[in-house]
Amino acid sequence: MGDQRERNRIKSRVDELPDDIRAKLDAMLADVNYTYQDIADAITAMGYEISRSAVGRYAMRHNSAARRLKEASEQTTALLQFIRENQDVESTELASAIMIDGLTRRIATADEDFDAMPLDKAGRLLVQLQRSTIYKERWRKERLAAIEAVERNVKARMRQAVQGDPDLLARLQKLVSDAAAEEAGRDEV
């Protein structure tokens, strides 16, 4: 791991500005009437020398962070709406979808940084995703087994209760079988 490249924290002249000056810079960036050169000149006039390119790099970082926050907010809103509309969706399925989406985005937008990701870390992420799928399948099988056990129990009790009327027993058992099949079918969605 000694020859692996380390990530360095981005340090900018803007990071050295006092909070009130940085707030003014942010306000000027939000106003489309100012160019990066106008902002650099204004900040320099306040006694803090800064270049146009430093303002531009800060704006790109700032916009990238704002875009990521906006995307996360939109995804959360869509996720909450999906949960409201699909109350029977398993939470591990949602978690897996979120993780797969995040991992796919990271792979798609990675340059050489992805190559620097330790293999064991990538492996752990994939194992976690696979484990989630296995747990969901195990939960589904256990749920189906429980439904079948309840169905058998109810049918046995019905046989005892209506021994004298085989037609009624057959109709009741069909109702129970249909309800069990309907409940088991909810997992297939």
Side-chain angles (χ1 to χ4, degrees):
M1 287 219 174
D3 57 345
Q4 181 180 359
R5 191 179 72 154
E6 292 184 25
R7 284 188 175 212
N8 294 326
R9 183 172 174 263
I10 297 172
K11 185 166 167 93
S12 165
R13 295 284 294 178
V14 175
D15 295 328
E16 299 169 2
L17 295 174
D19 290 340
D20 61 326
I21 301 298
R22 191 173 324 137
K24 288 179 184 177
L25 186 144
D26 288 338
M28 292 176 81
L29 279 173
D31 187 344
V32 295
N33 294 318
Y34 293 105
T35 65
Y36 292 161
Q37 188 63 56
D38 293 339
I39 297 170
D41 292 343
I43 299 298
T44 300
M46 293 178 201
Y48 301 95
E49 190 172 328
I50 191 167
S51 69
R52 177 191 56 78
S53 60
V55 172
R57 285 189 302 272
Y58 173 77
M60 286 176 45
R61 274 193 349 231
H62 185 72
N63 290 342
S64 177
R67 180 182 44 76
R68 284 192 308 269
L69 286 173
K70 182 180 178 196
E71 286 175 0
S73 174
E74 289 170 354
Q75 286 178 339
T76 302
T77 301
L79 182 61
L80 290 173
Q81 183 62 32
F82 181 79
I83 291 170
R84 281 188 205 106
E85 293 171 359
N86 302 287
Q87 300 268 333
D88 58 338
V89 171
E90 173 66 21
S91 62
T92 57
E93 188 175 333
L94 293 173
S96 292
I98 291 169
M99 286 185 68
I100 289 170
D101 180 58
L103 188 56
T104 303
R105 283 176 189 239
R106 187 151 282 166
I107 290 169
T109 60
D111 295 327
E112 68 278 348
D113 289 343
F114 190 71
D115 294 334
M117 177 188 250
L119 188 58
D120 62 324
K121 183 176 181 178
R124 281 194 308 270
L125 288 172
L126 292 173
V127 167
Q128 287 173 346
L129 289 172
Q130 186 62 33
R131 211 179 270 154
S132 174
T133 303
I134 291 169
Y135 288 148
K136 181 177 186 261
E137 182 61 24
R138 184 181 301 158
W139 173 84
R140 189 184 71 76
K141 286 180 179 179
E142 288 172 359
R143 184 169 182 273
L144 287 175
I147 290 170
E148 289 171 2
V150 168
E151 181 182 8
R152 282 191 307 273
N153 187 345
V154 170
K155 285 181 177 181
R157 290 179 183 204
M158 277 192 245
R159 268 193 296 281
Q160 279 183 331
V162 284
Q163 288 177 357
D165 192 347
D167 290 337
L168 177 59
L169 178 62
R171 288 194 315 257
L172 289 173
Q173 286 183 338
K174 178 157 178 19
L175 286 173
V176 171
S177 294
D178 291 348
E182 183 179 316
E183 185 62 29
R186 292 179 201 260
D187 289 337
E188 304 304 317
V189 174

